[in-house]
Each structure stands twice: as C-alpha cells, then as structure tokens.
C-alpha cells in the first residue's frame, strides 16, 4: 500500500511516517522544506531502517501536483500535513495562508477524485471550535467564526473535503482535529525543530531550560482557571501520529460510517500553563526562569478534548502522560543542542 505524506518532514508528519512504516506501508513524502529539513529523512531511516521515497517540490504548483499523481498512480491514500500553521503570521499574511492551505488542498483532491478508491486524512485543528461553550469539547461543538486566517483555512478546508466526498464516489476522508501536539520520538532521532523563536509553549520552555532563551513569558495569569493561566490539551506527538495510521486504516478497510468523518485527537485532560511549567521542572530537575506578562491576543481560555468518539469509533486512545511527553521534549532539546 503506497501512501503519500505531504509535509512528511515536518514535526507531526515525520512521526506519522515512522508509524506508517512500522505498519508496513510504503511511504512517499512530498515536502518543499520551507519549514523542515531533509536531514529529518536520516532520523526516520535511523528509527525504521527504511528510507521513505522523498520528492521535494512546492504543492502550490498545480502542474507538479498533477505530474506527481500521474507518476504515482498506485497511491491508495494521502495524509495531508503540508500547510502553514502560525496563527500570528496568518493574520499578517492571509493570502499566503489561503493559497498554501486551500489551493494545495484543492489540487490534491482534484487528483484523488479521479481515482476509483482513495483515502484522505486531513490535518485539522481544535482551533475550529474557537472558545467552545462547553468543555470537554465534542466533535458536535459548534464551529465558531475563526479568530485567524489560519483557523479559517481549517474550517474552509473541512467544508471543501466534505463537499468533494459527497460527489467523488471513490473518495473517503477523515479530518483529525488536533489539540496541542508536544514531545519527540523516544529514540531521540526526530522531534520538533521550530525555526526561529518558538511560538508554542513547550519548545519555548525547553529552549529556556537549555539556555537558548533567556526567560519564558507566560501570557497572562488572570484567566478564570484554577491558577489563572490558560488550559490546553497537550498530546504526545507519537500518540497523535498513531491516530493518523488508525484513521487511514479505517478508510482502507472501509470501516468508516460516512464518507467524511471528524475526530478530536487529544488526551481528554486539560493542563494550565503553570502545570506545564511544573511538569518541565519535575522531569528536568531544574527550575524554569519565567515571568507573567500580559495576555496574548487571540488565546482562548480553555480547550481540551472529549475523546469518546475517537476512543469508541476510531479505537484510538492517547497513552502518554504530560510528564512523559515533556520528558521526551526535554531529551530531544538536549540532544539537538
Ligand atoms: C499554549 C498556551 C499560550 C507560548 C495551538 C497550536 C497552533 C494552532 C492552534 C495547530 C497558551 C501559552 C505560549 C509562550 C505562553 N493550531 N504560551 N508563552 O495557542 O493552543 O495554539 O493551537 O494546529 O499551531 O500551537 O498553543 O503552544 O502557542 O500556547 O504563555 O511563549 O501557552 O498563551 O495559553 P495554542 P501554544
């Protein structure tokens, strides 16, 4: 079974390639390396012993996408990670996000709808819920008006897939709405490689711990939560990667109940920013230098998943604790510095 992983050299993509290979799939990675490095291929190969086929090109070039699918006519599935994902950047440069996150999606679906049978896994996000009215968040929670062009591309992307699957009889799809992916592969061969100053909490914490950053700024401690800081659902990237393989297998085995399904992929447990800091201090055995500053624009107070649908229908459940995920992130940070 040949599976294409777009963005397969990225953080979640590379961990998913490993899990696909572990299950015996033949993997073709497409990545333009705009937010990743070809060195990640060595890490994947070091773990699985199999070097995935890799093609470097920009999926925004429609003719290259068409040519790729002609050359790989035996593709049975696509897991689509390739997209821009920085919330703040999307506000500054919306057209970059609409082009990269939507045009590319359309070009890939145009190729898949020609096939008699194909499975498509879409990298979506809990961002589509905005600040949910009820917690934990179920898949039937209302989709709120997007707070950023990034979030809007995930909402629009899901609608594009839903509408396409209605008419493309051979195409079935699943959107996985991620919560907060963190950590690194236990082998130490792959992990998160943020370019520049990390926007996300955990890589900023580990870079502060290693001395690459002076101090972590905690964006507000005056929220209506147990300790005043925001709550998120931090999921180990390997647990998240495994969810992709299980979702793809569901489609290939034709176990899906609709031609388009969505699943929340989280641990079901919310942790505050201060609890994440405490987790780091526990696993690293050292204090973290941080200060409380003003709130960050666009942050929701709390978001954590109701995982019943993924547990019951998908047959997937996160296995790692916050401490375990944090420890893997810290081991990785020490390895790459
Ligand atoms: C988590 C918490 C911050 C950095 C995620 C993904 C993003 C997008 C939306 C992915 C928040 C606080 C952070 C820092 C801090 N979608 N924080 N100091 O905002 O939940 O966004 O979902 O598909 O890519 O990252 O994650 O890690 O940015 O923030 O205090 O230096 O940590 O305020 O409460 P977020 P995050």
């Amino acid at each position: 079974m040949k599976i294409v992983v777009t963005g397969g050299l990225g953080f979640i993509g590379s961990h998913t390639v490993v899990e696909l290979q572990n299950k015996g799939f033949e993997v073709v990675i497409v990545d333009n390396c705009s937010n990743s490095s070809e060195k990640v291929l060595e890490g994947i190969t070091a773990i699985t012993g199999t070097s995935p086929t890799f093609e470097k090109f920009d999926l925004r070039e429609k003719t290259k996408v068409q040519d790729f699918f002609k050359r790989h006519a035996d593709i049975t599935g696509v897991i689509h990670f390739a997209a821009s994902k920085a919330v703040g950047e999307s506000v500054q440069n919306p057209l970059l996000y609409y082009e990269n996150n939507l045009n590319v999606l359309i070009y890939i679906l145009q190729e898949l709808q020609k096939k008699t049978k194909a499975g498509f896994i879409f990298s979506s996000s809990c961002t589509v819920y905005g600040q949910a009215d009820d917690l934990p968040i179920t898949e039937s929670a209302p989709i709120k008006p997007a707070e950023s062009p990034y979030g809007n591309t995930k909402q629009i992307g899901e609608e594009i897939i839903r509408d396409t699957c209605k008419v493309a009889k051979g195409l079935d799809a699943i959107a996985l709405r991620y919560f907060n992916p963190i950590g690194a592969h236990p082998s130490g061969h792959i992990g998160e490689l943020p370019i520049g100053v990390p926007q996300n909490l955990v890589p900023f914490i580990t870079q502060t711990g290693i001395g690459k950053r002076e101090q972590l700024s905690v964006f507000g401690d005056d929220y209506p939560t147990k300790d005043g800081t925001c709550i998120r659902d931090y999921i180990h990237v390997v647990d998240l990667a495994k969810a992709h393989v299980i979702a793809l297998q569901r489609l290939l085995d034709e176990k899906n109940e609709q031609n388009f399904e969505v699943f929340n992929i989280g641990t079901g447990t919310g942790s505050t920013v201060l609890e994440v800091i405490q987790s780091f201090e526990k696993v690293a055995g050292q204090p973290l230098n941080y200060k409380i500053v003003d709130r960050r624009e666009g942050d929701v107070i709390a978001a954590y998943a109701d995982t019943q649908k993924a547990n019951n229908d998908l047959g997937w459940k996160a296995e790692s604790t916050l401490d375990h995920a944090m420890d893997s992130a810290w081991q990785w940070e020490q390895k790459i510095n």
Side-chain angles (χ1 to χ4, degrees), residues 12 85-87 123-127 150 154 178-181 198-205 216-220 223 229-232 234 273 293 295-296 298-301 303:
I12 306 167
K85 66 139 199 159
V87 174
S123 167
S124 190
S125 168
C126 64
T127 310
Y150 163 78
K154 293 304 181 184
Y178 311 158
F179 282 70
N180 289 60
Q199 299 303 303
N200 297 133
L201 177 65
V202 169
F204 204 109
I205 285 177
L216 169 76
S217 294
V218 172
F219 299 138
Y223 288 96
T229 62
C230 295
I231 295 170
R232 296 288 184 278
Y234 297 93
V273 174
V293 300
R295 296 181 173 189
R296 178 173 68 176
D299 274 336
V300 298
I301 301 166

Side-chain angles (χ1 to χ4, degrees), residues 27-282:
V27 178
V28 180
I29 293 174
V30 175
D31 204 308
N32 66 1
C33 296
S34 61
N35 192 25
S36 57
S37 153
E38 284 189 48
K39 280 181 64 63
V40 172
L41 275 174
E42 295 164 22
I44 292 169
T45 308
I47 297 167
T48 65
T50 306
S51 185
T53 305
F54 168 57
E55 294 201 24
K56 182 177 180 179
F57 67 89
D58 196 323
L59 290 156
R60 286 173 293 186
E61 297 185 54
K62 185 174 183 177
T63 54
K64 289 193 174 169
V65 176
Q66 293 170 328
D67 169 62
F68 174 84
F69 278 92
K70 273 201 196 81
R71 287 187 287 107
H72 295 279
D74 53 345
I75 285 167
T76 51
V78 174
I79 303 184
H80 181 44
F81 293 103
S84 302
K85 66 139 199 159
V87 174
E89 182 189 44
S90 77
V91 174
Q92 301 308 320
N93 194 347
L95 289 178
L96 168 74
Y97 275 68
Y98 289 116
E99 182 190 37
N100 197 31
N101 294 10
L102 297 180
N103 285 12
V104 168
L105 172 64
I106 290 166
Y107 299 156
I108 291 170
L109 292 175
Q110 284 172 331
E111 296 309 310
L112 291 184
Q113 73 173 356
K114 297 173 188 171
K115 301 174 79 72
T116 49
K117 180 104 186 80
F120 183 71
I121 305 296
F122 180 63
S123 167
S124 190
S125 168
C126 64
T127 310
V128 302
Y129 300 114
Q131 177 54 71
D133 302 324
D134 302 312
L135 293 167
I137 304 173
T138 67
E139 289 80 354
S140 54
I143 302 299
K144 295 274 185 80
E147 311 231 346
S148 69
Y150 163 78
N152 208 21
T153 64
K154 293 304 181 184
Q155 293 181 4
I156 298 169
E158 288 192 12
E159 289 311 312
I160 291 171
I161 299 164
R162 186 189 303 277
D163 290 344
T164 305
C165 288
K166 278 180 190 153
V167 292
K169 289 306 161 212
L171 178 60
D172 289 318
I174 288 176
L176 298 180
R177 293 174 177 166
Y178 311 158
F179 282 70
N180 289 60
I182 65 168
H185 195 270
S187 67
H189 289 302
I190 55 174
E192 195 166 7
L193 289 168
I195 294 173
V197 179
Q199 299 303 303
N200 297 133
L201 177 65
V202 169
F204 204 109
I205 285 177
T206 56
Q207 288 191 12
T208 303
I210 202 94
K212 201 169 175 179
R213 305 290 160 204
E214 182 60 35
Q215 182 179 53
L216 169 76
S217 294
V218 172
F219 299 138
D221 70 345
D222 56 350
Y223 288 96
T225 63
K226 64 171 93 164
D227 60 23
T229 62
C230 295
I231 295 170
R232 296 288 184 278
D233 184 334
Y234 297 93
I235 176 172
H236 196 300
V237 64
V238 171
D239 281 332
L240 178 58
K242 288 177 178 172
H244 287 77
V245 181
I246 290 169
L248 178 71
Q249 200 63 62
R250 176 181 175 85
L251 297 181
L252 298 177
D253 296 347
E254 301 184 345
K255 294 251 177 38
N256 49 308
E257 286 152 17
Q258 285 100 24
N259 53 32
F260 177 55
E261 298 176 309
V262 296
F263 292 94
N264 287 347
I265 301 297
T267 66
T269 301
S271 302
T272 69
V273 174
L274 291 180
E275 285 173 331
V276 176
I277 291 171
Q278 284 149 25
S279 173
F280 170 79
E281 294 181 332
K282 178 179 163 190

